[in-house]
Amino acid sequence: SYYREMHHSGATFGVRPPFALTEFLTNHPGAIENAVYVDRLQRFIHEFGNDAILPVFLEDFQANSHAVTQACCAHIGVDPEKLPAQNPVQLNVGSEKLHDTRLLRWLMKNPRLRYAIASKSPERQDEVLRRLRLRVPFGSKPVPWDEPAEAIYRERVVPKALEYLQVCGKPPDFWRL
């Protein structure tokens, strides 16, 4: 998710993240930090107590949105009957996010072209570069994993994900880790 977002938003932040996942994870520690929810959750529990926290899992919401919504409302003391109608539109769809092509990265080595592109707003860049097929949607193509990236995931993310599931009362096989 973070990999796709950084590739998609690179123009906004003035960065061109690496294509290789291992290089990306090595150069962008926030990718791992954003995947480690248990540390943030533990800080909230420490400050506000376990009863103040209600972890909600997307999988549970997808399975029974009504029950999860009711539980959230009960937790924060809101009458669920007073909620506005839910909008069924899905926002921030990963497959629709754009990323640079290798050709665009090569073209960006030219200082004049790089300046001409950078002088446009990120929205305009996306519009023009998409039309030229130099920024394209990720589509359903998975992010390419390599062995070092898988090792980083197994060593740094999986143990924390299992700890998160335990803290939230979920079985260790809730996610396919």
Side-chain angles (χ1 to χ4, degrees):
S1 171
Y2 191 81
Y3 173 89
R4 287 180 187 238
E5 183 57 38
M6 288 304 295
H7 276 271
H8 176 73
S9 300
T12 302
F13 300 113
V15 297
R16 300 281 182 214
F19 289 111
L21 188 56
T22 297
E23 187 180 352
F24 177 82
L25 293 174
T26 303
N27 295 340
H28 295 85
I32 300 296
E33 293 165 11
N34 282 341
V36 178
Y37 303 122
V38 71
D39 293 342
R40 280 187 236 141
L41 182 66
Q42 293 287 25
R43 281 186 230 128
F44 276 94
I45 290 171
H46 176 76
E47 289 297 324
F48 304 108
N50 206 33
D51 292 341
I53 308 300
L54 178 67
V56 175
F57 289 74
L58 178 60
E59 295 86 350
D60 294 336
F61 185 79
Q62 289 173 330
N64 191 342
S65 61
H66 180 74
V68 171
T69 301
Q70 296 291 316
C72 289
C73 288
H75 184 75
I76 61 174
V78 172
D79 181 358
E81 298 300 319
K82 296 189 178 183
L83 290 177
Q86 293 187 12
N87 184 355
V89 175
Q90 185 178 357
L91 303 175
N92 201 25
V93 178
S95 62
E96 294 175 8
K97 291 181 181 287
L98 302 178
H99 66 90
D100 296 352
T101 62
R102 291 185 187 276
L103 176 58
L104 176 59
R105 293 284 179 90
W106 182 79
L107 292 170
M108 292 291 281
K109 291 178 181 178
N110 178 307
R112 293 180 104 159
L113 182 59
R114 184 172 56 242
Y115 175 77
I117 291 172
S119 68
K120 307 290 183 209
S121 72
E123 295 80 14
R124 182 73 177 136
Q125 288 181 43
D126 281 349
E127 178 186 331
V128 171
L129 296 173
R130 184 176 188 158
R131 194 171 49 239
L132 295 171
R133 294 198 170 116
L134 293 171
R135 278 187 58 78
V136 296
F138 274 98
S140 60
K141 184 174 83 173
V143 173
W145 284 78
D146 55 14
E147 180 52 39
E150 288 180 15
I152 291 169
Y153 166 75
R154 283 191 305 272
E155 292 166 13
R156 297 185 52 205
V157 176
V158 169
K160 290 293 190 171
L162 290 169
E163 185 181 348
Y164 181 71
L165 290 172
Q166 181 181 17
V167 167
C168 296
K170 297 286 187 187
D173 63 348
F174 184 76
W175 289 324
R176 285 184 308 163
L177 299 170

